[in-house]
Amino acid sequence: ISVEHLKKYYGKVPNQTKAVNDISFSVQKGEFVSIIGSSGSGKSTLLNMIGGLDTPTSGNVYILGKDITSMSEEELTLFRRKNIGFIFQNYNLIPVLSVYENIVLPVELDGRKIDKDFLDDVLDILSLKEKIFNLPNTLSGGQQQRVAIARAIISKPAVILADEPTGNLDSKTSGDVIKLLRTVNQRFEQTLIMITHNLEIAQLSDRIINIIDGKVDI
Ligand code: ADP
Ligand code: ADP
């Protein structure tokens, strides 16, 4: 992943918010990078642009050698589905579907077949085997987040983007979830970028990028 001179400005001069103000960095394949910074520093805006969920004011984002900022909406949707897995703070699970159905839904919606051996492996690593018929609201926060992780990785995306994945979890569960995420990212050589407020959690990654007022602190 290569981010080059990325900017996102909201509003009009003179009341402009420079949410992301000329950020550049690269992340190697298989690397696990944390983004830290105070509330409002631009972390979510940055991650959303890397994931193609938000369009930059200027600058480029290259993923797997492709400039996603020059793609059409359709191209971007296909690219995102194939190559990027998202994990959010609120899990975003569908309450009326079982754990199993939640995990396989994105792949099935995409008209693809589930790799059963891989699914087995993932459920095993995330200790979800006994829970596959449960509804999300019968699980703890940590278990729900593990379901969200399984859903994000089951389509074998090259890139995983996580926005405060431990934001609703206690510190022990947070550590456990991140260690699992780390295991998964190493095992399947996925590149992982995670936003967190928690420095202890960030320290479990390979590298920390600190964002202050829309810029990388160096
Ligand atoms: P966090 O601090 O957890 O990243 P925020 O509460 O800052 O989340 O933002 C939540 C959502 O609200 C985001 O989608 C963001 O783009 C949007 N948002 C944040 N600030 C504003 C604003 N000033 N005007 C409009 N939307 C905003
Ligand atoms: P963080 O994730 O670090 O909390 P955000 O990326 O959510 O920060 O927000 C960075 C800045 O951009 C904040 O000042 C926020 O209010 C502003 N912002 C975010 N989204 C919007 C939006 N949709 N419209 C206007 N301002 C926004």
Side-chain angles (χ1 to χ4, degrees):
I1 300 174
S2 178
V3 172
E4 295 180 5
H5 299 291
L6 205 59
K7 294 184 186 174
K8 180 74 178 186
Y9 293 179
Y10 289 108
K12 292 205 171 75
V13 181
N15 297 314
Q16 224 169 17
T17 302
K18 297 180 172 180
V20 168
N21 194 7
D22 200 355
I23 288 184
S24 302
F25 62 85
S26 341
V27 180
Q28 300 308 308
K29 179 175 160 63
E31 202 180 1
F32 175 10
V33 171
S34 292
I35 295 177
I36 62 167
S38 49
S39 191
S41 58
K43 305 180 298 296
S44 296
T45 305
L46 173 62
L47 199 76
N48 288 344
M49 290 193 287
I50 294 173
L53 297 174
D54 204 347
T55 43
T57 303
S58 63
N60 304 84
V61 175
Y62 297 89
I63 299 181
L64 301 165
K66 300 232 163 59
D67 182 358
I68 68 159
T69 46
S70 70
M71 288 181 186
S72 69
E73 205 49 56
E74 285 95 350
E75 283 176 305
L76 191 56
T77 302
L78 290 176
F79 184 87
R80 216 192 281 124
R81 265 195 217 151
K82 183 160 186 288
N83 301 300
I84 305 179
F86 292 93
I87 301 170
F88 301 98
Q89 178 171 351
N90 299 322
Y91 325 127
N92 289 2
L93 301 175
I94 298 175
V96 295
L97 298 183
S98 70
V99 164
Y100 177 82
E101 290 165 335
N102 265 283
I103 294 172
V104 303
L105 186 70
V107 175
E108 291 189 338
L109 283 179
D110 207 20
R112 283 188 278 165
K113 276 228 150 65
I114 288 287
D115 177 340
K116 287 268 167 31
D117 292 337
F118 182 62
L119 176 62
D120 229 40
D121 234 14
V122 168
L123 291 174
D124 206 30
I125 294 171
L126 297 173
S127 308
L128 287 171
K129 281 238 165 85
E130 288 78 57
K131 300 290 178 189
I132 58 168
F133 299 116
N134 282 55
L135 288 178
N137 67 8
T138 67
L139 303 179
S140 70
Q143 288 168 337
Q144 290 187 54
Q145 193 54 297
R146 286 180 348 236
V147 175
I149 291 172
R151 179 186 54 189
I153 64 179
I154 200 63
S155 56
K156 301 178 186 168
V159 174
I160 305 266
L161 302 178
D163 192 344
E164 295 278 3
T166 62
N168 287 324
L169 305 176
D170 63 64
S171 60
K172 164 147 193 340
T173 311
S174 296
D176 291 347
V177 164
I178 298 309
K179 281 172 200 149
L180 282 172
L181 205 48
R182 156 102 284 184
T183 307
V184 161
N185 116 280
Q186 284 179 335
R187 175 90 170 268
F188 307 118
E189 272 209 292
Q190 287 164 319
T191 308
L192 172 55
I193 304 182
M194 172 181 74
I195 292 178
T196 182
H197 272 100
N198 185 331
L199 195 57
E200 255 177 79
I201 291 297
Q203 275 156 354
L204 297 169
S205 65
D206 297 319
R207 181 155 58 104
I208 297 176
I209 295 175
N210 188 15
I211 306 291
I212 299 178
D213 292 341
K215 289 177 177 292
V216 175
D217 182 46
I218 26 169

